[in-house]
Amino acid sequence: MDEFLYDKNKGSDDEVREALLSYDVREDKEKISSEKTKLRTIWFVTRPLRDPNYFPQALEALKEATNNFKEVWESNRPVQKAYEQSLIDKKLKRNNISADGSGGRTWGAMLRTYSLVYMDGGKRLVPTKAGLALLKGKKKFENLRKQLLTLQIPNSYFLSSGFRPKFEEDFRIRPIRFLIKVVNSLELNFYVTKEEIIYFVLKARHDSQLQETVREIVRFRNANEQVKMKMKNEVIAIDYRSRSDKSAREFEATNGDVAHTFMLQAAYTELVDYPKGKSLLRVKSDLSTSEEINILMDSFDKRYPFNTRYKISEARFSESAGLDIDSYKSRPITKALVASNQSKEDKLIEEIISKYPTLLGASYSDILEVVSEHFSPKKAIDVTKIIMDKTKELTNIDDVFIDSYLNQQDNLKFEEQTVEVLKALGFVDTKYKPKPVKKNTKTGIEILIPIDDENIALIDAKNYGKKFTLTANLANHMASEYIPEYDGYDGKHVRYFGYITASKIGGVANLEKIIKKADEYSDLKVSGSLISASALLGLLDYCMENDIEIEQKKSYFIELLNDNKAYETYGEVALRLQLT
């Protein structure tokens, strides 16, 4: 058995500790108070298995235990325990099965961390394209290396209910990629020790902190013992754990295994070396190797930029982050436009881009019209050409739009962005704040969608903070005012209605009240749904990534409006539309 499969000095108690760190929601709904749980300030990964060589076998064991990924995973203790048995059979785990399946959940958490599987809307663990490639034995090294080098904090699993404690919100880093770049530093003589990783690398929160981290390590190496201890204590003070004794020994013991895991996985990429018996990572040979590392890191930075789809959902993030090595993803436009500097011109371009979820559906004249509001005529033409050229290669929603839409504080902008999402889904004639058919009306709907030659849909955009509840009053307003006021718009009938909300959803039962009252009040047969902004954005992102035809995209959305249900997550949408 490989020495890195597990630490033979650890007993079953340690497995329980690992399980608790990746605690999944249990049937008894036991709660851990978020007020009492401090946030993580140091890198962490769930690590029942450190060596990536054995990830494919862990996937195969999961496939067997879940009947080819068909069984429900969440809260299904028999399946979770069956996974432990399958791992034991493959000699990946000691012959010990937990009482409640916590060991199985820990291994499942590991596979979710590296986007090899994800939790779908039906609470099943579903393999990503990278996971499927590993199960088929296809380009094992290349696919595993890609998943290691694209691992990021935060990712969708780290934000899920099963992961505690959470990381502090300002983390935005690719840890293994960052670690390799630190090792590949001339200032550090192309090596870094485990001690230096524990104290100075694991606390980095941004990819941009590379030189800062290198300078700290140089200073540490040149310091006397007293200064070194002072530097260590400064790092220990930021650790998220609350302990009475915050000694260096305890800190190193706590975080040393995490460092060891990242060192092993960095070494797996074959870009750096982890010599047996030595507590350090180093560049393998000479400066030519260093240059090769720089070239590969640069290519990964361009091909796999930081993925913001964790803000949409675990399913949408994992589908994107879990692409196999042969599935190329174009670089988001904003990285190409504004990465080099932060000039006013770049800021303006970024602001323009944030108005559109994708510019693929926007014509030259449409983009020029928006750009002309900010630039002189000649400059506007130049900027428009830049944007048009870049969008020819764009295959996903831009990161700037995702961040802006899902964190929008301006209600008016939220409405405008929702219109653009609907247009990108194929409803190019979507109307914003159309005038009602009936005169002398005091209110009006935000969004109207021409569906076909006979029907329209009315959409109310609700940018509520934490939760939108469809109250009886709002339901009455839709049924007795909006629907009759717009019936006959452009000679068409109101057939659908819906609410797009930037929050969690309540009051679903009142959808039926709208349907009944519209029938009684206007003799109209309508249907509608409540859809969160993240679920809607996830649907668009899926359609773009898979090059779905316009009519099919429109059909997906109409199917949701037919359901008289609420869709709070993209996973629920994907399950309903059978997208996975």
Side-chain angles (χ1 to χ4, degrees), residues 544-559:
M544 290 179 63
E545 184 174 282
N546 293 277
D547 198 24
I548 304 299
E549 296 292 333
I550 290 178
E551 290 307 313
Q552 184 61 61
K553 290 191 292 185
K554 293 166 68 174
S555 175
Y556 284 151
F557 183 70
I558 293 170
E559 281 189 58

Side-chain angles (χ1 to χ4, degrees), residues 55 59 107-119 126-134 143-144 146-148 150-152 154-158 307 309-310 313-324:
F55 284 8
L59 275 169
W107 284 73
M110 179 192 71
L111 297 177
R112 290 168 72 182
T113 293
Y114 296 92
S115 296
L116 297 174
V117 299
Y118 64 89
M119 185 85 73
V126 178
T128 61
K129 285 186 177 181
L132 289 172
L134 293 180
N143 280 301
L144 278 172
K146 182 256 177 181
Q147 293 312 110
L148 294 172
T150 56
L151 174 68
Q152 66 180 57
N155 63 30
S156 59
Y157 172 65
F158 292 157
N307 194 330
R309 276 151 192 79
Y310 64 87
S313 72
E314 179 176 354
R316 188 79 286 271
F317 172 85
S318 297
E319 286 173 346
S320 177
L323 290 170
D324 62 288

Side-chain angles (χ1 to χ4, degrees), residues 433-446:
K433 294 189 175 179
K435 291 183 180 180
V437 174
K438 290 187 177 181
K439 296 182 179 179
N440 302 320
T441 55
K442 297 181 179 180
T443 60
I445 195 72
E446 283 95 351

Side-chain angles (χ1 to χ4, degrees), residues 422-434:
L422 293 168
K423 286 182 177 179
L425 278 170
F427 300 102
V428 294
D429 295 323
T430 297
K431 312 296 181 184
Y432 181 50
K433 294 189 175 179

Side-chain angles (χ1 to χ4, degrees), residues 17 36 87 114 153 285 299 324 411 497 542:
R17 181 183 66 83
K36 294 181 180 180
L87 289 165
Y114 296 92
I153 303 172
S285 56
S299 70
D324 62 288
N411 294 339
F497 68 91
Y542 169 86

